Amino acid sequence: QVQLVESGGGLVHPGSSLRLSCAASGFSLDAYAIGWFRQAPGKEREGLSCISSADGSTFYADSVNGRFTISRDNAKNTVYLQMNSLKPEDTAIYYCVADPGWSTGCPGEYEYWGQGTQVTVSS
């Protein structure tokens, strides 16, 4: 059974950092495209970053490029999202995603989603 479980969310001040973790079970992350999405109240879901299944290339949305870093630890079967210089507009529920399809970029859709973890950036 494929499962993604996020952790690491919380309440932080603007300018702070957080690292989100996503533990995968039931499959090997290194064979899948993996990524992170977020959804803020009243806003559409936003794709933030992914690691392609083809060659492990990483991609970022303009809104987080230079501040967020995606990585994975194959031995732990875990993907991370390091978030630096957090802003109030980063407040959202963050979701880990995975897809078994082959892709050179970020998939248009992901088959598997975690339950989400809340990140709140406020002074």
Side-chain angles (χ1 to χ4, degrees), residues 11-100:
L11 171 63
V12 296
H13 294 304
S16 298
S17 297
L18 271 179
R19 189 179 76 159
L20 304 182
S21 299
C22 174
S25 59
F27 70 102
S28 294
L29 277 176
D30 60 357
Y32 281 53
I34 52 176
W36 290 91
F37 276 71
R38 69 184 178 189
Q39 187 161 23
K43 295 188 177 180
E44 292 190 356
R45 191 170 58 195
E46 179 186 15
L48 302 177
S49 180
C50 82
I51 299 177
S52 78
S53 57
D55 59 5
S57 297
T58 57
F59 301 87
Y60 297 93
D62 290 343
S63 59
V64 303
N65 194 26
R67 298 189 300 124
F68 291 11
T69 303
I70 190 172
S71 63
R72 71 181 175 207
D73 185 329
N74 292 336
K76 295 182 178 180
N77 215 32
T78 299
V79 61
Y80 303 98
L81 186 67
Q82 178 66 44
M83 307 186 295
N84 299 327
S85 303
L86 284 163
K87 307 174 183 180
E89 51 263 45
D90 293 318
T91 295
I93 299 174
Y94 284 69
Y95 298 92
C96 174
V97 294
D99 191 85

